[in-house]
Amino acid sequence: MSRNIRFEKFVPAHASAVAGWTQTVHESSMWSGRAEHPFREETVLSWRQDPDSQAHILSVSGTAAAYGELWLDSGNREAEVARIIVSPAARGQGLGVHLVHHLTALAEEAGYPGIYMRVPPGNSAALRCYTKAGFRPVDEESAASWNRSQPVEYVWLRHEPAHAATLAFTL
């Protein structure tokens, strides 16, 4: 059975569903850096205030199933893929990889050659997903430099299109 998957701009009507996808304080913290559970709809909506941030969802058969953001740094021509989360009912189906592919393609089409991600330490599921989507760790010197001003020592990744897995979906 095949399902219709669509990449769409996030709209406020999606906020309640997205806020409900975290299941624990730990999961909220890994996703957003906030130790907040249940996660608040207002928090998700507040992220839209940054003009350099673009939020998107993947919908499956008309239902929001994954959320992610693209943060654009026009001065450095760099983008960061961020806040990726998949609804609990849709996990394990490759939707996270699918969403990351869409977000990186959007950044590339907009002329951002450097595309990065940061992953909290210990988030092995996220690291597997992003590796399948073509991300690889940055060099140790860059990671150390970028982590100096961060609250945790993130694993920093850079998109390398030659390493992206080919997607074949029959959902």
Side-chain angles (χ1 to χ4, degrees):
M1 175 173 120
S2 138
R3 294 186 281 177
N4 182 25
I5 300 174
R6 295 189 52 180
F7 179 68
E8 308 171 21
K9 285 190 174 190
F10 172 87
V11 296
H14 297 129
S16 178
V18 172
W21 291 345
T22 61
Q23 299 178 310
T24 65
V25 170
H26 177 73
E27 189 176 40
S28 294
S29 180
M30 290 291 233
W31 171 48
S32 69
R34 294 172 164 266
E36 180 180 315
H37 187 76
F39 211 80
R40 296 172 339 126
E41 179 179 347
E42 295 78 19
T43 301
V44 176
L45 288 170
S46 73
W47 294 336
R48 299 180 73 230
Q49 304 305 313
D50 184 346
D52 296 324
S53 175
Q54 300 177 6
H56 296 272
I57 64 155
L58 273 187
S59 66
V60 177
S61 300
T63 301
Y67 170 91
E69 295 176 0
L70 190 59
W71 299 346
L72 303 174
D73 177 349
S74 57
N76 291 319
R77 301 306 300 160
E78 294 175 348
E80 186 171 346
V81 175
R83 295 191 180 124
I84 304 297
I85 190 167
V86 177
S87 74
R91 292 179 185 166
Q93 300 176 34
L95 293 175
V97 175
H98 197 63
L99 177 60
V100 171
H101 274 292
H102 276 289
L103 292 168
T104 55
L106 195 63
E108 289 168 345
E109 289 167 11
Y112 289 83
I115 306 170
Y116 299 89
M117 295 187 87
R118 66 182 100 175
V119 182
N123 194 341
S124 57
L127 287 170
R128 281 191 306 274
C129 171
Y130 307 146
T131 297
K132 288 178 186 174
F135 281 82
R136 297 293 179 266
V138 301
D139 63 90
E140 289 181 24
E141 186 177 319
S142 294
S145 172
W146 297 342
N147 275 325
R148 280 190 199 107
S149 63
Q150 300 299 323
V152 298
E153 194 167 307
Y154 290 106
V155 176
W156 289 88
L157 308 170
R158 179 182 169 89
H159 187 247
E160 297 180 9
H163 294 286
T166 303
L167 290 178
F169 279 98
T170 338
L171 296 175

